[in-house]
Amino acid sequence: MAMNEIRQQARRSAAERVARLRQQRADLVKKQEELSATVMTALAERDAVIVDAERRAGAALKELASSGLSLAQAAQWCDLGDKEAARLVKLAAQPATAEGEATARKTVSGDR
């Protein structure tokens, strides 16, 4: 085999190897992007469930307090601290719109 043919074959082999490595990296990045989106979606769903549950708890706590108990007494009935009870009642008073959920999420995250 002539030296030029050997060089050309080596260059082709190197180019093919580089192309395979690029494709593997692209596939890995695509998988990482998909997994990242899955994580972020699951966390957003979790946050929405928490906000909804805490809003319902706050509404029930507020109703319990309006049944003749002070908020502190209602909190004791539910084995809650005063700060947590106040936070839940405040959360229940927020609107249940998308904007309210964003605000509620900030409140929930900020107080933990």
Side-chain angles (χ1 to χ4, degrees):
M1 205 184 259
M3 191 56 79
N4 280 342
E5 289 179 36
I6 293 171
R7 286 183 187 137
Q8 287 175 352
Q9 187 177 4
R11 286 186 182 122
R12 272 195 301 272
S13 294
E16 290 170 1
R17 174 72 180 143
V18 167
R20 279 193 307 274
L21 289 173
R22 281 187 184 140
Q23 185 60 49
Q24 288 173 352
R25 282 189 216 125
D27 292 345
L28 178 61
V29 167
K30 183 177 179 183
K31 183 176 181 175
Q32 290 168 335
E33 289 171 350
E34 291 170 356
L35 290 170
S36 174
T38 300
V39 168
M40 293 175 73
T41 300
L43 293 175
E45 290 170 351
R46 177 206 61 191
D47 290 348
V49 168
I50 289 171
V51 168
D52 179 58
E54 288 189 338
R55 185 175 286 125
R56 288 183 290 118
L61 185 60
K62 185 177 179 180
E63 191 173 337
L64 180 61
S66 69
S67 73
L69 300 174
S70 68
L71 184 56
Q73 290 170 326
Q76 283 181 331
W77 274 72
C78 300
D79 197 26
L80 294 171
D82 291 342
K83 281 186 176 181
E84 179 71 359
R87 185 184 72 80
L88 291 172
V89 169
K90 182 179 176 183
L91 190 61
Q94 292 179 351
T97 63
E99 185 177 307
E101 288 177 11
T103 304
R105 207 170 290 126
K106 288 178 190 172
T107 302
V108 170
S109 299
D111 288 343
R112 284 190 177 171

